[in-house]
Amino acid sequence: MDDTYKTITALAEGYYTEKRSRFISYAIPVRTVDEVKAQLARYRKEYYDARHVCWAYMLGADHKTFRANDDGEPSSTAGKPILGQINSNELTDILVIVVRYFGGIELGTSGLIVAYRTAAAEAIAAATIETRTVDEDITVAFEYPFLDRIMRIVKEENPVILSQRFEMDCEMTLRIRKSEAGRLRARLQKVETAYLKEEE
């Protein structure tokens, strides 16, 4: 089961010129559609005098949430080539914006596609790409006498401990790589009186 995905660690910039048209590109790490909207609003405001602010984004480890926008350029000449660069680099949780300042000379459809594709590629090339794991959160509740047994499993399976509460009734929330979650869950369930809370 593939439980990894590639994304960028920080904002990166690119630049491309063609027949006096300037293309300024940004690759931005994002996690949600709301973040995408906030970034788009910010860059539209910053480049209010630009002819076009075109963009594409991809969200989620499953690469199922995406959109591309030509912002007034001829259909499929801007957003689609930008999205193509995101896909060819197998990236997600990313927004790529390309700002165009028109230089007075028409580039034609093929020229636009090349320009937007190249500008997007420049920003992505400047970014630091990292592979991350798809993780799952597991919350386990148990009585205090079973703490040692739970802690032994936690030590052996080595999940990230997100929260823990040790009283008469104890509770821990753990984060582990998705491919290893089933095994951790099965081991925790074997401890008497421990029960897993279904994550909402």
Side-chain angles (χ1 to χ4, degrees):
M1 178 177 115
D2 188 22
D3 61 352
T4 61
Y5 62 96
K6 291 199 301 188
T7 189
I8 60 172
T9 57
L11 173 72
E13 294 179 33
Y15 187 73
Y16 179 71
T17 55
E18 178 66 32
K19 293 180 181 166
R20 295 210 298 270
S21 270
R22 291 185 298 135
F23 297 86
I24 306 158
S25 53
Y26 295 92
I28 306 158
V30 286
R31 301 296 289 267
T32 64
V33 173
D34 284 341
E35 279 181 50
V36 168
K37 286 177 181 163
Q39 292 289 350
L40 287 171
R42 191 186 136 205
Y43 282 90
R44 280 205 188 99
K45 193 173 173 185
E46 188 176 334
Y47 292 102
Y48 66 91
D49 57 340
R51 174 70 73 93
H52 304 282
V53 178
C54 305
W55 49 270
Y57 67 78
M58 176 70 71
L59 298 175
D62 56 5
H63 295 254
K64 285 196 173 120
T65 307
F66 59 89
R67 260 190 80 190
N69 189 297
D70 297 313
D71 191 38
E73 290 283 29
S75 179
S76 300
T77 59
K80 219 168 173 184
I82 296 169
L83 186 62
Q85 286 304 304
I86 294 173
N87 285 331
S88 64
N89 286 279
E90 298 173 346
L91 294 169
T92 191
D93 288 350
I94 182 174
L95 165 67
V96 176
I97 296 174
V98 180
V99 178
R100 180 189 184 193
Y101 282 96
F102 185 55
I105 301 166
E106 295 288 344
L107 300 185
T109 309
S110 58
L112 285 172
I113 291 169
V114 169
Y116 279 102
R117 186 170 64 214
T118 308
E122 289 291 321
I124 291 169
T128 304
I129 294 171
E130 73 173 10
T131 300
R132 294 182 186 166
T133 56
V134 180
D135 298 324
E136 216 168 281
D137 293 354
I138 298 170
T139 298
V140 59
F142 53 94
E143 290 172 9
Y144 193 79
F146 296 95
L147 178 63
D148 285 350
R149 288 169 66 182
I150 295 286
M151 290 311 287
R152 190 180 315 127
I153 294 170
V154 168
K155 196 174 172 198
E156 287 166 9
E157 298 289 342
N158 203 24
V160 175
I161 298 170
L162 298 180
S163 68
Q164 51 191 16
R165 176 173 58 78
F166 302 136
E167 291 159 15
M168 275 314 291
D169 291 320
C170 305
E171 190 172 283
M172 291 180 86
T173 300
L174 311 168
R175 176 168 289 165
I176 194 161
R177 189 169 171 167
K178 200 167 185 178
S179 57
E180 296 165 7
R183 186 178 67 220
L184 173 62
R185 198 177 266 118
R187 288 191 67 188
L188 291 170
Q189 265 166 339
K190 279 193 183 129
V191 178
E192 288 169 63
T193 82
Y195 62 92
L196 300 174
K197 292 189 173 177
E198 286 309 310
E199 295 297 316
E200 290 306 315

